[in-house]
Amino acid sequence: MAELSKQEILLNDLGTIETQISILVHKDQELQTSNSELAKLVETLRKENMNLIHRIEELESKDKAAPESAESNLFNSLNQKERENLKVRLQGLISKIDNHLSAERQI
């Protein structure tokens, strides 16, 4: 009878091990599916990131070119008389700033 008990214990242990193995197999399958989905997501995000990096580079290059053309367009759009008036006004403002600064230095 003692041997039957040992056999029953062994069968119970084997049943427990079998249950645990089936649980682990199921968890493994879930993790493999999850890893596969995450790998696809990572690849998609990498592609999107590269597209955004290229877009940023394009915009930065356009941004660098834009101020130069805007400034040249502004001054090219002025006729000779307007340029002279602008030059006189700027010289007047520079003189006022110089006078103001020299007055502050004397104080």
Side-chain angles (χ1 to χ4, degrees):
M1 283 239 183
E3 285 196 30
L4 285 175
S5 298
K6 286 182 182 180
Q7 286 178 350
E8 288 176 0
I9 292 172
L10 223 91
L11 287 175
N12 285 339
D13 287 347
L14 285 175
T16 304
I17 291 172
E18 185 180 10
T19 304
Q20 290 176 345
I21 288 174
S22 99
I23 290 170
L24 288 174
V25 166
H26 181 68
K27 284 184 179 180
D28 180 57
Q29 290 171 344
E30 287 177 352
L31 288 174
Q32 286 180 358
T33 303
S34 176
N35 282 343
S36 175
E37 290 172 0
L38 288 173
K40 289 177 185 176
L41 178 62
V42 165
E43 187 60 30
T44 302
L45 291 174
R46 282 186 180 150
K47 287 178 183 178
E48 183 179 346
N49 191 26
M50 289 303 296
N51 289 337
L52 290 173
I53 287 171
H54 290 303
R55 180 74 175 133
I56 288 171
E57 289 171 352
E58 289 174 10
L59 291 173
E60 285 177 343
S61 66
K62 286 180 183 179
D63 186 46
K64 287 179 183 177
E68 295 169 0
S69 63
E71 289 175 5
S72 63
N73 285 339
L74 173 66
F75 290 110
N76 288 337
S77 68
L78 298 176
N79 62 32
Q80 188 63 30
K81 186 175 181 178
E82 291 172 331
R83 285 183 194 172
E84 289 298 322
N85 287 339
L86 181 60
K87 186 177 178 181
V88 169
R89 285 184 186 173
L90 288 174
Q91 287 174 345
L93 290 172
I94 291 171
S95 297
K96 288 179 182 179
I97 291 171
D98 285 340
N99 289 337
H100 182 69
L101 290 175
S102 63
E104 284 185 0
R105 284 187 216 145
Q106 291 176 0
I107 294 177

